[in-house]
Every structure is written in structure tokens, then in C-alpha cells.
Amino acid sequence: MVRDMTKGSPVRLLLTFAAPLLVANIFQQLYTVVDAVVLGRGVGVRALAAAGSTGSVHFLVFGFITGLTHGYSILISQKFGAGSAAGVRRAVANSAYIAVLSSAVITVLSLVFSRGLMELMQTPADIFEDALLYIRIIFIGIFATVFYNVLASILRALGDSVSPLVVILISSAVNVGLDVLFVMVFRWGVAGAAWATVLAQLLSGLMCLFVLSRMELMRFEQGDARPDGAMLRELLRLGVPVGVMNSVTAVGGMILQGVVNGFGSTTVAAYTAGSKILSLAEQPGNIVGLSLGTYVGQNLGAGRLDRIRAG
């Protein structure tokens, strides 16, 4: 459901936009909690620790990806706020070009340096190989994650926070089912949990694509999909700083994880369990930021600085 945030009560718009996003993000975090529960109960403490020990490396890479896609959505929301349907489509197409290229580069670099990063963080020897296997499968699925994040950010930029909620509810249920199937039934261990996450992300992306394909606004016309050098530079100007900011934050997490890893796999498992709960508590603050990003972007595109201040 496309939503114009340049008209109407700022408070009402922000609240009605943020509420579905909050529920969606909580469910998205919950299925990482389910990963932990299934691994801990279905395999054991070491499996839980192995998956958990990759958390900061995961954030280093995927935080950068999330930042990039959030940057793309800023320009898309501005074009939408300005009432330029063609501008929206051009921004979407050029975002897709960057997403494909960045996915390939990030996947290769992540797989090449994954062992070195896990060694740098002093991953305990008794969980090292399982941790490396888990994070490498997650990295193989980088394309699926980028695919989902780009499309979900486009929906949010257009003021649609309900469709991402429906997508997350469905993919979360699928992820839980695959977790149980792969880990508890097939006995694939940490690899099963990783593949469940990758497949759930791929499903999320496909569902977002389906939603976008049915929008009148997304019916491309001749020239809309042409690469635009100026727009590519603008997308990178907006996305790269946010991605780098997230990665810098992740470096702090890696230092902390390295210290925790030094205490052994049992402590890593405890830290992992606590971190999963903490991630739920962080969501309201994250959602306020996402909601304001869309609201400010649309109103900036419309030249409504008064509404930005009110928001």
C-alpha cells in the first residue's frame, strides 16, 4: 500500500507507518531467537555458541549491506515525494544495478576473508569449524539478503510498511519450519540453521518482488531502466556513508566478541542467548529511525521543510 507522507498529520503518519514495521522487525528478530533455541536444544551448547560467535562478523558485512540499501531508499522516497514516477523507476533500476554488483563483490570478499576474521576474533577451537561453516553458508546467501533488503527498502520508501510485515510473518514461519526440519529431523546441525535463514531470506525477496510487480508505479517505460551515471553516484553518495557507519559500529562488536570468545564456548553461548533478547529491545529505536527516514525523504522531495521540522 503506497502512502504519501507529504499530507496529513505527521504524528499519525509516523505512528501508522512505524507500527507494522515494529511488528515485522520483532518477528524478524524472533526467528533468529528460534535459530538459537533449535540449535541449543536440538544439537547442543557448542552448536549455539558456534552460530553465536559469528554475530559480529555477520553484522560487519550485513550492516554494510543494510546501510547501502537504506541509502538507496532515501533517493527513492525523495523522487516519490516530488511526484516523479519516472524518477522513482529510474532510481529503482539503478539501485538494482548497484545491488547486483555489490552482492558479487561482497560475497567473494566475505568468503575469502571469513577464516581470517574468525581467527582474528579468537573463536574457541572446539567450535571453530562449525562457526566457519555457519558463517560461510550465510555469506553464500548474501545475494538473497541484498535481494530482500533492496526490495523491502523500496516498499518502505513508497510508504508501504504493511507489505513488509506480511512478508516477514510468512518468511518467519517458513524459517521456523525449516529450522526444525533441517536441524531436528535431518540433523544438519549449524549448516541446517544457516540454510534455513538463507532460504527464508530468498522467499522474502521473492514476495517483495511480487508486491512491487503489481504496482502501477512500477510499470517501467522505455528509458526508465537505462543506467544513469549521475543517479548511480547519488545513490552511492547516500548509501555508502550509512553502510560504513554500520560497519564501524560492527568493529566495536567484533572487539567485544573477541574478548568473550577468549572465555570459551560456554560463555559464548551465554552471550549469544543474551544478545538475542537484547536485539528485541533495540527494535523500537531502530523503527523510529526507519520511519523518519521515509517521512523526511518524501517531504524533502516535495520541498516541505515545514513538515520535516514538525515530524
Side-chain angles (χ1 to χ4, degrees), residues 28-310:
Q28 194 168 27
Q29 294 302 318
L30 277 175
Y31 77 62
T32 70
V33 172
V34 172
D35 275 353
V37 172
V38 171
L39 283 173
R41 293 188 173 274
V43 185
V45 171
R46 287 185 179 178
L48 171 60
S53 68
T54 67
S56 55
V57 174
H58 183 280
F59 184 50
L60 176 71
V61 175
F62 288 88
F64 182 74
I65 290 169
T66 303
L68 276 178
T69 56
H70 182 61
Y72 306 157
S73 71
I74 294 170
L75 184 60
I76 294 168
S77 64
Q78 289 175 6
K79 297 295 183 184
F80 180 74
S84 174
V88 169
R89 290 191 292 269
R90 287 199 302 274
V92 167
N94 283 274
S95 295
Y97 299 142
I98 299 175
V100 170
L101 181 60
S102 63
S103 296
V105 173
I106 293 171
T107 298
V108 171
L109 291 176
S110 299
L111 290 172
V112 168
F113 292 107
S114 55
R115 178 176 289 274
L117 286 171
M118 299 307 293
E119 289 174 346
L120 181 65
M121 288 171 32
Q122 305 179 69
T123 306
D126 60 338
I127 61 171
F128 185 91
E129 291 304 325
D130 273 349
L132 185 61
L133 174 62
Y134 180 86
I135 198 62
R136 280 182 169 171
I137 293 172
I138 294 295
F139 285 159
I140 288 170
I142 281 174
F143 174 78
T145 302
V146 172
F147 180 47
Y148 163 70
N149 275 293
V150 168
L151 297 179
S153 70
I154 293 169
L155 287 170
R156 288 193 297 268
L158 301 178
D160 185 355
S161 59
V162 175
S163 297
L165 169 60
V166 175
V167 166
I168 288 297
L169 290 176
I170 295 171
S171 65
S172 295
V174 169
N175 188 84
V176 171
L178 291 177
D179 266 332
V180 173
L181 179 65
F182 293 167
V183 177
M184 307 287 276
V185 179
F186 293 169
R187 299 291 177 184
W188 288 355
V190 295
W195 281 118
T197 298
V198 169
L199 292 174
Q201 287 280 4
L202 180 59
L203 176 63
S204 299
L206 290 171
M207 287 190 288
C208 287
L209 181 63
F210 174 76
V211 173
L212 284 166
S213 69
R214 294 175 65 84
M215 288 184 179
E216 183 73 27
L217 181 62
M218 288 293 105
R219 295 193 177 175
F220 281 73
E221 300 175 3
Q222 187 174 7
D224 286 344
R226 185 175 62 250
D228 183 328
M231 185 166 283
L232 288 169
R233 287 191 294 273
E234 183 66 8
L235 287 164
L236 289 171
R237 186 186 70 81
L238 291 168
V240 170
V242 185
V244 171
M245 179 189 70
N246 283 355
S247 293
V248 169
T249 304
V251 171
M254 290 177 68
I255 294 170
L256 177 58
Q257 184 77 59
V259 173
V260 172
N261 288 349
F263 291 105
S265 56
T266 303
T267 303
V268 174
Y271 177 74
T272 300
S275 297
K276 299 296 183 184
I277 297 170
L278 176 61
S279 67
L280 293 172
E282 292 175 336
Q283 292 315 304
N286 294 338
I287 294 309
V288 169
L290 283 174
S291 302
L292 280 171
T294 297
Y295 175 86
V296 171
Q298 287 194 15
N299 282 283
L300 184 62
R304 293 298 306 275
L305 300 185
D306 58 316
R307 285 181 59 79
I308 292 175
R309 285 190 290 271

